[in-house]
Amino acid sequence: MNFTVGESSLYLHKLLKRLKPHRGLEIVAAPSTIALQPLSLQVDRKKLKLSAQNCFDRDYGAYTGEVSATQLRTLVDYCIIGHSERRYHFHESDKDIKNKVAACLRNNITPILCIGETASERDFGETKDVIKDQLLGGLSEVPEEDQAKVIIAYEPVWAISSVKGAKLASPTDVAEVINIIRDFIPKDAPLLFGGSVNPSNAGGYLTIPGINGLLVGGASLIADEFLSIIEVANRVKS
């Protein structure tokens, strides 16, 4: 929940001015819902795609204040589902999340399904169980042949900079969980990491086997930092 519509437009203009298309590298921005429509007219989709931060699981109806995937499908290519802030601030359940994943797919939007454990769950050795439950729950409405269409984003809650007492996740910590996740998803399913990613640590995370990209949080609000992360990703890919 950052930037007015005008500020979002200026930010996107700055990105597009400096961005160059990179073969094999997908760059996505996820502005607030109110900015999606004007930015969809401004964006150069050869350089950058748009994502929604959330959606409702019904296609239409009397659900005041909600925005459906049906309404979003002409504006975005992606939608973030089950972000830790949606799970823990707004108490979204696995049932809510699985229905949103299914809504995205039937509306030809690629869902980015976020999963991750809290500090206490990690301390009590529950990481594998939490990851398994969130994965299987989020994908339970997706036919097996379509599960590779869902992007999985591992974001350990204890490593997110906006969380009190957050700690930086080491590549070793991340690699252990990536191996767990890979046991439960198709081999060709894209897998991202998100957790206080910045230009200094992006390369370390991107070189972890099994990771295909990054879900960038606070650093993406600063155009120069986001552009630096994109350059790091391009170098690693090359």
Side-chain angles (χ1 to χ4, degrees):
M1 196 170 66
N2 293 283
F3 297 168
T4 64
V5 173
E7 290 167 343
S8 297
S9 178
L10 289 172
Y11 175 90
L12 182 60
H13 175 76
K14 186 174 183 178
L15 281 184
L16 293 175
K17 189 175 181 180
R18 296 174 57 184
L19 269 180
K20 298 178 181 178
H22 297 291
R23 187 181 299 275
L25 187 65
E26 187 93 311
I27 303 165
V28 181
S32 296
T33 302
I34 59 169
L36 282 172
Q37 195 279 331
L39 265 56
S40 72
L41 302 176
Q42 177 184 349
V43 70
D44 180 347
R45 294 179 186 270
K46 293 179 181 179
K47 294 183 177 181
L48 183 142
K49 304 290 179 64
L50 292 178
S51 171
Q53 296 180 9
N54 185 36
C55 72
F56 191 52
D57 60 14
R58 304 295 180 91
D59 290 342
Y60 60 89
Y63 302 101
T64 301
E66 295 294 338
V67 177
S68 71
T70 303
Q71 293 172 308
L72 291 169
R73 66 185 176 191
T74 60
L75 305 178
V76 303
D77 293 284
Y78 300 90
C79 183
I80 300 171
I81 302 295
H83 189 281
S84 61
E85 290 161 5
R86 299 300 313 177
R87 292 180 186 267
Y88 297 106
H89 292 331
F90 299 99
H91 310 292
E92 288 189 2
S93 66
D94 286 338
K95 181 180 179 181
D96 297 325
I97 291 164
K98 74 174 182 180
N99 289 336
K100 291 183 179 188
V101 169
C104 287
L105 290 173
R106 70 173 174 263
N107 283 284
N108 297 316
I109 295 172
T110 300
I112 302 172
L113 173 61
C114 297
I115 59 173
E117 79 282 20
T118 64
S120 61
E121 289 166 342
R122 181 173 183 254
D123 291 341
F124 282 105
E126 299 172 348
T127 296
K128 184 174 182 178
D129 290 336
V130 170
I131 293 298
K132 179 181 177 182
D133 288 347
Q134 291 181 351
L135 262 179
L136 298 183
L139 296 173
S140 61
E141 292 293 315
V142 182
E144 187 174 348
E145 63 270 20
D146 289 336
Q147 289 186 2
K149 298 177 182 178
V150 180
I151 297 174
I152 306 300
Y154 172 54
E155 48 157 13
V157 182
W158 51 270
I160 298 173
S161 59
S162 60
V163 175
K164 186 177 180 180
K167 300 177 181 177
L168 192 65
S170 72
T172 301
D173 293 331
V174 176
E176 291 176 1
V177 183
I178 294 302
N179 288 333
I180 294 172
I181 296 170
R182 281 290 175 197
D183 287 339
F184 295 106
I185 62 176
K187 291 182 179 180
D188 55 343
L191 181 52
L192 314 179
F193 172 73
S196 301
V197 174
N198 60 50
S200 299
N201 60 31
Y205 293 133
L206 285 169
T207 54
I208 296 172
I211 286 184
N212 305 108
L214 301 170
L215 183 67
V216 186
S220 68
L221 298 174
I222 304 169
D224 288 341
E225 290 200 14
F226 191 38
L227 288 162
S228 294
I229 292 170
I230 292 168
E231 287 306 314
V232 170
N234 191 51
R235 287 198 299 270
V236 171
K237 176 187 64 65
S238 300

